[in-house]
Amino acid sequence: MITIYHNPRCTKSREGLQILENSGKDFEVIKYLDEPISEAKLKEIISLLGIKPINLVRKNEAIWKSDYKGKKLTDDEIISTMINNPKLIERPIVVNNGKATIGRPPSLIIEII
C-alpha cells in the first residue's frame, strides 16, 4: 500500500496527493500534523529515504531558526525534535514497497509508484 505523509496546507504536498489520485492506485493519506508519527515510524521512513535525519528537517521554519539552528544535535535529538514539532518534517513523503521519497519536486513521487 502506498502511503503519503501529507500536509493539506502545503502546495507541494497537495501536488503530490494529486499525482497519487491521478495514478489510480490505492493509497493511504496520513495527515501527520493531526496524526503524529511515532519515533519508530519516523526512523523507518528516514532509513527508507536513505538520508540523515537533518536532511528531513525544514530548516526555514521559524521554530527551527529560533530554537535549533546552529546547535550540535545528535540524530536522535533531531528525530525527537521532529516528533515534537511535526511542522519541521519535509513534505510530502511517499512510501511504497520498501521505498520512500520526499516529493520535492512532486514529480519524484512518480518514480516510486
Side-chain angles (χ1 to χ4, degrees), residues 11-106:
T11 302
K12 299 292 184 204
S13 198
R14 289 192 307 268
E15 289 175 20
L17 182 62
Q18 187 69 50
I19 288 169
L20 290 176
E21 288 171 346
N22 291 343
S23 76
K25 298 182 181 195
D26 290 336
F27 62 92
E28 173 185 22
V29 177
I30 296 178
K31 295 179 183 174
Y32 66 92
L33 295 178
D34 299 334
E35 305 171 42
I37 302 172
S38 70
E39 179 178 346
K41 181 54 77 174
L42 188 57
K43 285 182 175 181
E44 177 186 333
I45 291 167
I46 290 167
S47 176
L48 290 174
L49 288 166
I51 62 174
K52 300 288 275 171
I54 191 66
N55 295 325
L56 192 58
V57 173
R58 295 176 54 82
K59 296 169 196 76
N60 286 326
E61 289 290 337
I63 191 164
W64 180 262
K65 289 179 179 180
S66 66
D67 295 0
Y68 303 101
K69 186 178 180 180
K71 292 185 178 178
K72 275 284 206 193
L73 301 173
T74 66
D75 286 350
D76 285 339
E77 288 170 330
I78 292 167
I79 288 167
S80 180
T81 297
M82 287 189 282
I83 289 167
N84 293 325
N85 304 281
K87 280 177 59 175
L88 291 175
I89 300 172
E90 277 289 3
R91 60 202 180 239
I93 301 168
V94 175
V95 178
N96 184 28
N97 254 350
K99 294 185 262 180
T101 192
I102 301 168
R104 292 191 164 269

Side-chain angles (χ1 to χ4, degrees), residues 101-112:
T101 192
I102 301 168
R104 292 191 164 269
S107 60
L108 291 174
I109 294 167
I110 295 167
E111 296 175 15
I112 70 163

